[in-house]
Amino acid sequence: ALLNTTAVATSVGILCLILGLPLAWLITRTDLPFREKFRSMFCLPYAIPPYVGAIGWIILANPSSGVLNQWLGLSLNIYSFAGLVWVEASFLFTFVLLGTLTALDKMDSSFEEAARLSGASPLRVFWQINLPLLRPALAHGFLLSFLATAASFGVPALIGTPSRIYLMTTQIYSFQRMGTTNGLEIAFALSVLLMLGSLILLLVANRLLVKSRFAMVSGKTARASLMELGSWRWPVFTVLMGLWIWLFVLPLAGIALSAFSRVQGILTLENLGFTNFYRVLFETEETHRAIFHSLGLGLAAALFCAFFSLGWGFLQSKHDWRTQTLGQVLLTLPFSTPGTVVALALIISFGRGIWGFGPALNNTLSLIFIAYVVKYMSLAQKTVADGYSQVHQSLEEAARVAGANSWQVLTTIYAPILKPAAVAAAFLVFMPVVSELTMSVLLAGPGNETIGSLLFSLQEYSDVGGGGAAVLSLLVVGLILALNFLLKIFSKGKYGI
């Protein structure tokens, strides 16, 4: 499992670089038609849970009944090492893309202009100017995709397990589900190995990135001149459209086809209908509980994280940088830790009471709520902290001179100004919580289903007729895209994709 995790995560990281770097360069440095549209289109997979994409690709490339194999006569097999790497990379490449886009947007274009004035070709400018300056962003994107793959559970469980490719997360899940003391002990040991490996990699990468940082933004700069693609404009446009369809549209189309198919595997118009929707939404009692639990937990976690971040940010602004750094690390560490490790840590700490005292929280919604808050508090804190940094200190000083205490300063000065940032923070927590799978599978018990845990069970073993997981996946995708749209409107484009 350790060797498989390393091999898969490394392969995914490399494929993410291969996909993300050329896309970012074409979008920011060429006269590609509809460049801004492509920016939004290729960032959309970032908002979709990878396990939803895994379900889509299983429908498309199942070796026995895959849609692409039936329609096009292909011999695709998603249950393979290549299939596992492809599904992970087709969603995680956005880590590289977003970081590279930001770096290219901020890069001082005078470097490139000087090279072009010296007679350098566009390709030479890319290799000798852009690529060296992008090294920190690319290394960071590779690291994020590597760690996200190592911490992923849904995709390895749905695609890797049937092909007997076991990763650390799926092994931890298997041992934890054994229900024996020996199984739990092995699961805890593997969790420690996974956590230590992630932390060591983060520390080493952070040290290397600090040494390789350099200024890319100067006081005077202009928009980078775009390379003219000439006769290649529309061929490149066509290739990128095809890539986007293959990456994003095809998996969602496969899910939609499965959701509307009365009998799975029969591709005829007569076979289409709303039978699966009726069965999942009105005849499956777990669905109502799962939706109610996920929405309730998502709202509760979002509000708690937003309000806590407002208070925490206010307290942090009163202390020196050492305390601020410690607080930042304490909040960020759980987000960087694999979800399976966080879930098992909470089972140990609170499963039989809070460190042995009080009521047992194992198989309760309270434990799932704690897991969501611990895991995603960092998203809210960073968003609110960004808002605090934009509020000038003179406002608080004026309130202090007028006799206001700390509570009045927080509620009358900071809270009204930071309301948009707090709402954005709540949205950013709510979106991943509603569709969370990795921790929910380990923490949710009978009667405490969430959307993620129910979707996993429907895909794996509890949906005899098929199509139920596709129905729930469509609901998840629609909800996430709608929330992202609302977030973008509310924040005036500052947050969201």
Side-chain angles (χ1 to χ4, degrees):
L2 181 59
L3 291 176
N4 287 338
T5 301
T6 304
V8 171
T10 303
S11 301
V12 169
I14 293 173
L15 185 53
C16 287
L17 291 176
I18 294 173
L19 289 172
L21 177 59
L23 280 172
W25 185 78
L26 286 170
I27 290 172
T28 58
R29 290 299 187 267
T30 69
D31 61 345
L32 179 72
F34 305 105
R35 292 185 304 122
E36 293 303 317
K37 295 293 183 182
F38 274 124
R39 182 189 289 257
S40 298
M41 288 162 56
F42 277 104
C43 290
L44 275 176
Y46 179 81
I48 307 299
Y51 68 83
V52 171
I55 294 173
W57 278 106
I58 289 171
I59 296 167
L60 293 173
N62 189 308
S64 59
S65 60
V67 174
L68 294 179
N69 292 332
Q70 292 188 49
W71 283 4
L72 304 178
L74 302 177
S75 300
L76 300 176
N77 182 11
I78 199 64
Y79 297 120
S80 61
F81 181 89
L84 177 55
V85 170
W86 168 253
V87 174
E88 290 279 17
S90 64
F91 289 86
L92 299 181
F93 82 94
T94 50
F95 288 138
V96 175
L97 177 63
L98 290 169
T100 309
L101 284 172
T102 302
L104 285 170
D105 288 338
K106 293 182 177 180
M107 188 179 295
D108 188 350
S109 61
S110 62
F111 301 135
E112 299 163 72
E113 298 298 333
R116 286 175 182 160
L117 289 174
S118 300
S121 65
L123 186 60
R124 189 175 180 185
V125 171
F126 172 76
W127 282 108
Q128 295 190 346
I129 304 297
N130 295 129
L131 196 57
L133 292 174
L134 290 174
R135 189 167 62 242
L138 294 176
H140 189 248
F142 176 87
L143 174 65
L144 288 177
S145 58
F146 184 98
L147 292 175
T149 303
S152 173
F153 170 77
V155 178
L158 297 176
I159 293 178
T161 300
S163 55
R164 302 186 65 83
I165 302 175
Y166 299 105
L167 272 60
M168 294 287 284
T169 52
T170 52
Q171 285 287 61
I172 291 171
Y173 174 78
S174 299
F175 284 119
Q176 192 265 349
R177 282 301 183 187
M178 287 173 59
T180 63
T181 303
N182 185 54
L184 285 175
E185 289 174 349
I186 298 176
F188 296 151
L190 289 177
S191 298
V192 171
L193 287 177
L194 184 58
M195 179 180 65
L196 290 178
S198 300
L199 292 178
I200 291 172
L201 186 59
L202 278 172
L203 291 174
V204 172
N206 185 64
R207 179 63 60 87
L208 294 176
L209 288 175
V210 168
K211 291 183 178 180
S212 64
R213 284 175 182 162
F214 36 77
M216 292 197 303
V217 182
S218 64
K220 294 182 179 180
T221 185
R223 184 180 299 273
S225 59
L226 301 179
M227 172 185 153
E228 295 183 1
L229 295 176
S231 60
W232 286 95
R233 288 186 75 211
W234 293 107
V236 171
F237 170 85
T238 304
V239 170
L240 292 189
M241 277 299 301
L243 179 62
W244 182 71
I245 291 172
W246 187 264
L247 286 170
F248 186 73
V249 178
L250 267 182
L252 295 185
I255 292 173
L257 182 62
S258 175
F260 286 99
S261 295
R262 294 188 179 94
V263 180
Q264 300 300 306
I266 299 179
L267 307 177
T268 61
L269 289 177
E270 293 78 11
N271 189 44
L272 299 180
F274 293 92
T275 303
N276 294 328
F277 286 87
Y278 185 83
R279 173 169 53 85
V280 172
L281 296 179
F282 300 104
E283 295 182 352
T284 306
E285 61 175 332
E286 293 89 351
T287 302
H288 297 157
R289 285 203 304 266
I291 293 175
F292 179 76
H293 291 160
S294 288
L295 293 179
L297 289 169
L299 182 61
L303 292 176
F304 182 88
C305 290
F307 282 110
F308 180 86
S309 297
L310 276 174
W312 179 265
F314 182 72
L315 291 175
Q316 287 291 88
S317 65
K318 306 302 176 185
H319 295 83
D320 60 16
W321 66 270
R322 293 182 182 86
T323 307
Q324 293 177 0
T325 302
L326 177 61
Q328 183 71 23
V329 170
L330 290 176
L331 290 176
T332 304
L333 189 59
F335 187 74
S336 305
T337 303
T340 50
V341 178
V342 174
L344 286 178
L346 293 175
I347 290 173
I348 297 171
S349 301
F350 305 136
R352 298 182 179 179
I354 302 176
W355 291 291
F357 299 96
L361 298 183
N362 198 26
N363 292 329
T364 65
L365 293 177
S366 299
L367 191 59
I368 302 176
F369 170 76
I370 294 172
Y372 291 162
V373 169
V374 168
K375 182 71 174 177
Y376 297 108
M377 177 64 76
S378 176
L379 294 177
Q381 191 273 330
K382 289 181 179 178
T383 304
V384 174
D386 180 56
Y388 268 106
S389 66
Q390 299 177 24
V391 180
H392 198 274
Q393 190 68 22
S394 61
L395 294 176
E396 180 178 348
E397 294 172 353
R400 295 288 188 186
V401 170
N405 56 32
S406 296
W407 175 253
Q408 290 172 324
V409 169
L410 176 61
T411 55
T412 61
I413 302 296
Y414 286 109
I417 295 175
L418 296 178
K419 182 180 178 181
V423 173
F427 268 108
L428 290 174
V429 172
F430 185 83
M431 283 193 288
V433 162
V434 167
S435 59
E436 206 282 329
L437 170 66
T438 304
M439 297 186 298
S440 301
V441 167
L442 292 172
L443 297 175
N448 293 326
E449 300 90 349
T450 65
I451 290 177
S453 65
L454 177 60
L455 198 154
F456 180 75
S457 66
L458 287 174
Q459 179 64 23
E460 286 293 275
Y461 51 81
S462 64
D463 187 21
V464 178
V471 171
L472 211 53
S473 296
L474 281 184
L475 295 179
V476 169
V477 172
L479 178 61
I480 291 175
L481 292 181
L483 289 172
N484 179 74
F485 180 72
L486 291 175
L487 175 59
K488 197 162 186 177
I489 291 178
F490 185 82
S491 64
K492 298 179 180 179
K494 184 176 182 180
Y495 302 103
I497 297 172

